[in-house]
Amino acid sequence: MRLEKYIATSGIASRRAVKRAIREGRVTVNGTEILIPGHPINVELDSVEFEGKQVEPLTERIYLMLNKPAGYLTTRRDERGRPTVMDLLTELPESIYPVGRLDLETEGLLLFTNDGNFANRLMHPSHEVDKTYLAWVNGVPTDRALDRLRNGISIPGGTTSPAKIKLLNVKHTQASTAKKKTGKNESLSKFRVIIHEGKKRQIRLMFKTVGHRVIRLKRTHIGELGLGNLPQGQYRFLTPAEVAQLQT
């Protein structure tokens, strides 16, 4: 493992800060000062010190939820310098990472951890962990269209598994000038959608396939865990009971 990754995952400092410390001569391996980041170490045999203190493997597991706003990429870093969800977690060690993903414009519940087994349990389709979304959709899909979505539909990336879809309400908005001439009103439908997959842009593509565009999409639950009143852009740590519930 690279030296800076080992130290960063121990929770001592971010990888960037560790690289700086290495260049400044504040890190040793087996008593020898290391000045170049990327130095390989054997995590089972080598003794690493950071500023004179022994670096121990991380034993504390971190689990938290973020209420993701639209406009943030679900990635640790972006080569084009666009905002990522990690920008909202600046006070936390870089060893944590998002569990799964939400698209750039999708809002809502996103989990983070440094526990690989926990992440795999939630992400692997075989475990069929339900994810609940609210979807605001242009127009009002027909019953036939909704049945297609509920039974599974072919989208780029494959055929979706059966989904639970419930119409919550329909709002009629003032039509645009062009549509006024045709006598048509504009409608916005709100749905609750429950799936256990994570195909890229899945819900947006499902509705697009039946002729309707998703205007807004927000994930509210993973399993039984919900956002509650967590403000947008904020995060909180999960309770032990919540972690245990997600693993059952």
Side-chain angles (χ1 to χ4, degrees):
M1 181 183 294
R2 290 175 178 267
L3 177 59
E4 62 269 24
K5 180 178 181 180
Y6 175 70
I7 298 174
T9 55
S10 73
I12 290 178
S14 70
R15 197 172 302 190
R16 180 179 300 176
V18 172
K19 286 183 177 180
R20 184 170 60 250
I22 292 172
R23 294 189 183 101
E24 294 173 355
R26 293 185 281 135
V27 176
T28 64
V29 176
N30 301 323
T32 301
E33 190 176 273
I34 303 298
L35 298 174
I36 301 176
H39 182 83
I41 65 165
N42 185 320
V43 297
E44 296 182 356
L45 300 177
D46 291 333
S47 174
V48 179
E49 290 189 0
F50 181 90
E51 296 182 340
K53 295 182 179 179
Q54 185 75 29
V55 177
E56 300 293 344
L58 180 68
T59 56
E60 180 185 9
R61 297 304 176 195
I62 298 174
Y63 311 90
L64 63 90
M65 70 159 72
L66 169 74
N67 186 350
K68 176 190 174 295
Y72 286 81
L73 292 168
T74 305
T75 184
R76 292 183 57 81
R77 58 186 59 85
D78 178 60
E79 293 179 355
R80 294 164 55 186
R82 293 172 294 178
T84 77
V85 290
M86 303 308 294
D87 296 331
L88 303 170
L89 308 174
T90 54
E91 299 178 357
L92 296 170
E94 284 193 355
S95 58
I96 65 169
Y97 50 87
V99 180
R101 61 179 291 122
L102 290 177
D103 297 330
L104 176 66
E105 295 304 324
T106 301
E107 312 164 31
L109 177 57
L110 184 63
L111 297 178
F112 292 77
T113 190
N114 57 2
D115 184 341
N117 290 333
F118 174 83
N120 182 67
R121 168 70 177 80
L122 291 178
M123 289 190 294
H124 201 283
S126 66
H127 294 296
E128 298 190 355
V129 178
D130 284 343
K131 286 92 173 176
T132 304
Y133 296 79
L134 294 177
W136 289 261
V137 177
N138 250 350
V140 184
T142 65
D143 289 341
R144 180 180 179 184
L146 293 178
D147 285 340
R148 290 179 64 195
L149 299 180
R150 292 183 178 114
N151 294 328
I153 192 168
S154 179
I155 63 172
T159 300
T160 64
S161 295
K164 299 175 183 177
I165 300 180
K166 181 178 181 180
L167 176 63
L168 300 179
N169 61 57
V170 177
K171 289 186 178 180
H172 300 287
T173 59
Q174 186 175 3
S176 64
T177 301
K179 291 190 176 181
K180 282 181 180 178
K181 295 179 180 179
T182 67
K184 294 181 179 179
N185 292 321
E186 294 182 337
S187 299
L188 185 68
S189 306
K190 182 180 179 181
F191 290 90
R192 179 167 59 241
V193 181
I194 302 177
I195 60 176
H196 63 258
E197 300 174 290
K199 291 182 170 62
K200 187 175 182 179
R201 299 179 63 80
Q202 178 171 336
I203 293 176
R204 296 181 188 276
L205 290 172
M206 287 168 62
F207 279 98
K208 181 180 180 180
T209 301
V210 296
H212 296 269
R213 184 165 66 95
V214 174
I215 304 301
R216 181 186 176 194
L217 186 62
K218 179 178 182 179
R219 184 159 67 189
T220 62
H221 291 76
I222 296 177
E224 298 299 319
L225 179 68
L227 274 175
N229 58 2
L230 182 65
Q232 192 172 78
Q234 300 296 308
Y235 68 87
R236 73 167 177 84
F237 292 94
L238 302 187
T239 67
E242 289 170 335
V243 174
Q245 185 180 60
L246 287 169
Q247 292 178 312
T248 57

